[in-house]
Amino acid sequence: MAGLDKFLDGASRPGHFRGVCTVVLKLFNIVKPTRAYFGQKDIQQALILRKMVRDLSLDLEMEIVETVREPSGLALSSRNVYLTPDEKGRATALSRGLFRAKEAWAKGEKSAGALKGMLRTEIEASSPTRIDYLEVASQARLEPVDQTGEPAVIAVAVFYGKTRLIDNLLLG
C-alpha cells in the first residue's frame, strides 16, 4: 500500500484497506475481469486498489470514475439510507463546502489551510455530530499538504447522527 493507507480513512480505520485489498483481489482472481471501475467518492480505496493492480501485475485496466451525486449535491452512498431527512438535508454541506473550496482553488487559492477553512465553515454551520477528518492531500501519496502546487484532493469524513459520510474533490 506504500503509505497510501496512513492518512485520511486509513488513519481513522487502521487495517481497513488491507481487508479491502484481500477481498477485491480474491474477487479479481475468481472473476478475472479485464476492466474494473471504482468511484472517486472512495478515492483512497480506489488509489490503493490501483496500486495493488500495478504491483501484482494483474492483467486488468482499472478506471476511477467521477462521483455520482443526488440533485442536492450529496454524494450517492449506501449509507445515505441511514440518515434522517434532517441529517440528509444538513449533509449537503459536504458538497457545498467542497465545491466552494474547489472554486476558490480554481481562482488561485493554493493554501490548504484556507481551503480547509472554507470547507470547515460550511460543514460546521450544518451542525454535524462530529468531523472525523478534513484534509487537503497530495493525489499521488495522499499525504497532507500545506500548498496545492501539485495535484491534490480535498477530502472529508463527517458524522451526521451515527452515519459516517465521506466525500472529496480533486484539485488539478
Side-chain angles (χ1 to χ4, degrees), residues 132-145:
D132 188 3
Y133 67 79
L134 188 153
E135 194 59 76
V136 176
S138 154
Q139 280 184 36
R141 296 171 307 285
L142 296 178
E143 295 173 338
V145 296

Side-chain angles (χ1 to χ4, degrees), residues 41-42 67-71 73-80 166:
K41 184 181 81 61
D42 296 298
T67 301
V68 178
R69 297 182 180 280
E70 295 184 4
L74 184 64
L76 284 182
S77 171
S78 59
R79 295 179 181 194
N80 292 356
I166 61 171

Side-chain angles (χ1 to χ4, degrees), residues 18-92:
R18 181 174 304 282
V20 168
C21 285
T22 299
V23 168
V24 172
L25 181 59
K26 285 181 175 193
L27 178 66
F28 286 169
N29 284 331
I30 293 167
V31 176
K32 300 195 184 327
T34 57
R35 300 188 99 171
Y37 299 88
F38 289 87
Q40 180 189 314
K41 184 181 81 61
D42 296 298
I43 190 67
Q44 187 170 23
Q45 174 177 286
L47 292 173
I48 288 170
L49 290 172
R50 179 186 277 169
K51 179 157 182 34
M52 177 191 77
V53 165
R54 282 191 208 130
D55 289 353
L56 297 176
S57 301
L58 299 179
D59 189 19
L60 169 67
E61 186 178 329
M62 203 176 119
E63 297 286 330
I64 299 174
V65 297
E66 192 172 326
T67 301
V68 178
R69 297 182 180 280
E70 295 184 4
S72 66
L74 184 64
L76 284 182
S77 171
S78 59
R79 295 179 181 194
N80 292 356
V81 299
Y82 300 114
L83 296 167
T84 66
D86 176 63
E87 290 166 346
K88 192 171 184 180
R90 290 186 290 124
T92 61

Side-chain angles (χ1 to χ4, degrees), residues 107-170:
K107 290 180 179 176
E109 180 60 71
K110 301 304 180 211
S111 163
L115 298 173
K116 290 190 305 187
M118 291 174 207
L119 178 54
R120 182 175 298 280
T121 297
E122 192 73 42
I123 291 171
E124 286 179 347
S126 71
S127 302
T129 306
R130 178 170 63 93
I131 296 175
D132 188 3
Y133 67 79
L134 188 153
E135 194 59 76
V136 176
S138 154
Q139 280 184 36
R141 296 171 307 285
L142 296 178
E143 295 173 338
V145 296
D146 293 326
Q147 296 289 320
T148 58
E150 61 180 88
V153 58
I154 185 165
V156 63
V158 177
F159 284 87
Y160 287 93
K162 294 179 182 178
T163 306
R164 183 178 184 269
L165 300 177
I166 61 171
D167 202 351
N168 69 78
L169 286 177
L170 301 180

